[in-house]
Amino acid sequence: MVEKKASNKSKSENVVDSLWGAWLNQGEFFKTVEYQSLKNIESQKEWIKGTNEQYCQLEDNTKKLASEWKTGAESFLGNNKSILPLGDYQEWLNKLEEVGHKSYSIAFLPGKTTLEVLSKSTDQLEDTVVKVIDQNRKTREEATKAFDGVVEQWKQTQKVMLQFFQLNPGVSK
């Protein structure tokens, strides 16, 4: 009979500890939210970086295509001198290539600028979120320290109160 009473006492204590543990460990929820927020920001940064790399690659490929066109035109005109005699075509081809490169740069500028602004905004957001997380952690730690003594007293009082009641899990109605 003494063993049964000791067993009930530990069940009572476990119930109180579980209830208070769940209430006091709400910080785990916030830690999960904080972790997920930082993870999402990191995913966004990776997306921006990948998009920017693809955009730059597209711009480079476009410029290479213009240069290849110029080389092809030079070859064609060099082999067919009867079309443009006197070789004046070289200056025109150079100017066309230059205009092509500048127009591609102008065409790609809005997209590149948008990605740059988005990247900087994401970096600033990340800095802000990190600062908020640090402040929230400090606040939680201070609040936890302030309530530790009081909570421990409440837990002990509840454990003593529950000792008056016997927990019988086998009895149900």
Side-chain angles (χ1 to χ4, degrees):
M1 181 147 187
V2 173
E3 291 176 23
K4 189 173 184 180
K5 191 171 185 177
S7 173
N8 285 340
K9 182 178 177 185
S10 87
K11 287 180 185 177
S12 297
E13 289 177 1
N14 286 340
V15 168
V16 171
D17 288 338
S18 293
L19 290 174
W20 278 105
W23 188 80
L24 291 173
N25 288 327
Q26 291 177 12
E28 293 303 316
F29 170 75
F30 293 113
K31 288 178 185 175
T32 302
V33 170
E34 292 165 351
Y35 169 78
Q36 195 61 43
S37 297
L38 290 174
K39 188 176 173 184
N40 290 343
I41 290 171
E42 190 60 38
S43 294
Q44 183 174 344
K45 287 172 68 173
E46 289 175 15
W47 177 85
I48 292 169
K49 180 182 176 187
T51 302
N52 193 37
E53 288 172 358
Q54 290 176 352
Y55 205 75
C56 288
Q57 185 65 42
L58 179 63
E59 183 181 19
D60 290 344
N61 288 344
T62 304
K63 287 180 180 179
K64 285 179 187 175
L65 184 62
S67 295
E68 289 173 3
W69 174 85
K70 177 190 168 203
T71 304
E74 284 175 340
S75 175
F76 174 77
L77 292 173
N79 292 335
N80 298 300
K81 294 186 187 230
S82 62
I83 295 174
L84 283 176
L86 306 173
D88 289 344
Y89 61 86
Q90 186 63 46
E91 183 180 338
W92 283 101
L93 290 177
N94 288 340
K95 289 201 183 283
L96 280 174
E97 181 184 33
E98 182 182 338
V99 167
H101 285 290
K102 285 182 181 180
S103 64
Y104 296 138
S105 294
I106 291 170
F108 284 103
L109 186 62
K112 289 172 78 172
T113 303
T114 300
L115 287 171
E116 185 179 322
V117 167
L118 189 57
S119 178
K120 287 180 181 179
S121 298
T122 302
D123 289 341
Q124 289 174 347
L125 175 65
E126 182 180 35
D127 289 343
T128 302
V129 168
V130 167
K131 287 177 184 174
V132 167
I133 287 172
D134 287 342
Q135 184 60 45
N136 285 343
R137 285 181 184 162
K138 289 176 186 175
T139 303
R140 279 196 306 269
E141 288 172 6
E142 290 171 7
T144 301
K145 287 177 186 176
F147 282 106
D148 275 348
V150 175
V151 169
E152 191 55 39
Q153 287 176 353
W154 284 343
K155 284 171 56 175
Q156 295 309 318
T157 302
Q158 286 179 343
K159 287 178 185 179
V160 170
M161 288 174 50
L162 286 176
Q163 287 178 1
F164 294 113
F165 303 101
Q166 287 195 354
L167 295 175
N168 268 331
V171 178
S172 62
K173 271 200 175 187

